[in-house]
């Protein structure tokens, strides 16, 4: 069955409003895009929505008790809650370097979770 979905393309600051026609889970038409990247955005958003996830994990012996982390690439939206649950179980030992892998291949996606900043040991 055919239906319309309204999206805002967030690929660039223009924020074009997109009217997407979807049939059987597939994009069959897009209107409102200012450039062809809007088509790719609509396609991804309808068939495989993803987001970069930022959160924190616990640190043992660090200057601060929590370490900010992020996914190295946009993560499948339907698995974000499970990822957050997994990260809640993790405690890393200080020191940590920015960019260090905190969780490799998160949930088998091939996407790593990385440290956002250095975390020195508490002195
Ligand atoms: S459709 Fe193109 S111009 Fe419009 S927000 Fe997306 S990337 Fe920017």
């Amino acid at each position: 069955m055919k239906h319309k979905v309204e999206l805002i393309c967030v690929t660039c600051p223009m924020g074009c409003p997109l009217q997407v026609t979807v049939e059987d889970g597939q994009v069959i038409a897009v209107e409102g895009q200012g450039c062809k990247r809007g088509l790719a955005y609509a396609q991804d958003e309808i068939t495989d929505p993803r987001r970069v996830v930022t959160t924190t994990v616990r640190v043992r012996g660090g200057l601060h008790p929590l370490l900010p982390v992020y996914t190295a690439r946009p993560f499948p939206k339907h698995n974000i809650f499970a990822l957050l649950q997994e990260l809640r179980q993790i405690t890393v030992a200080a020191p940590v370097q920015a960019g260090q892998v905190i969780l490799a291949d998160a949930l088998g996606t091939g996407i790593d979770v990385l440290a956002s900043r250095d975390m020195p040991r508490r002195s």
Side-chain angles (χ1 to χ4, degrees):
M1 192 170 117
K2 207 186 286 188
H3 65 283
K4 292 258 189 190
V5 176
E6 296 197 350
L7 299 173
I8 303 289
C9 178
V10 296
T11 308
C12 88
M14 290 289 288
C16 296
L18 307 177
Q19 296 81 45
V20 186
T21 306
V22 180
E23 187 169 21
D24 299 328
Q26 298 301 313
V27 173
I28 59 170
V30 180
E31 297 167 59
Q33 70 276 20
C35 75
K36 65 181 180 187
R37 288 183 297 168
L39 297 174
Y41 176 81
Q43 184 74 38
D44 290 347
E45 195 61 15
I46 297 297
T47 61
D48 184 23
R50 290 173 180 247
R51 298 289 184 273
V52 171
V53 177
T54 60
T55 184
T56 55
V57 297
R58 280 189 289 268
V59 185
R60 189 179 333 108
L63 187 60
H64 302 291
L66 295 174
L67 172 73
V69 299
Y70 66 102
T71 53
R73 288 183 282 129
F75 200 79
K77 201 172 166 185
H78 69 277
N79 264 342
I80 288 176
F81 184 71
L83 173 65
L84 294 174
Q85 284 185 313
E86 177 113 359
L87 290 171
R88 236 174 261 140
Q89 310 303 316
I90 291 177
T91 301
V92 294
V96 178
Q97 291 190 320
Q100 182 176 323
V101 176
I102 302 302
L103 177 63
D105 186 23
L107 302 179
T109 57
I111 300 171
D112 295 339
V113 176
L114 309 175
S116 301
R117 56 161 288 179
D118 292 341
M119 182 62 69
R121 275 199 194 97
R122 187 174 50 228
S123 53

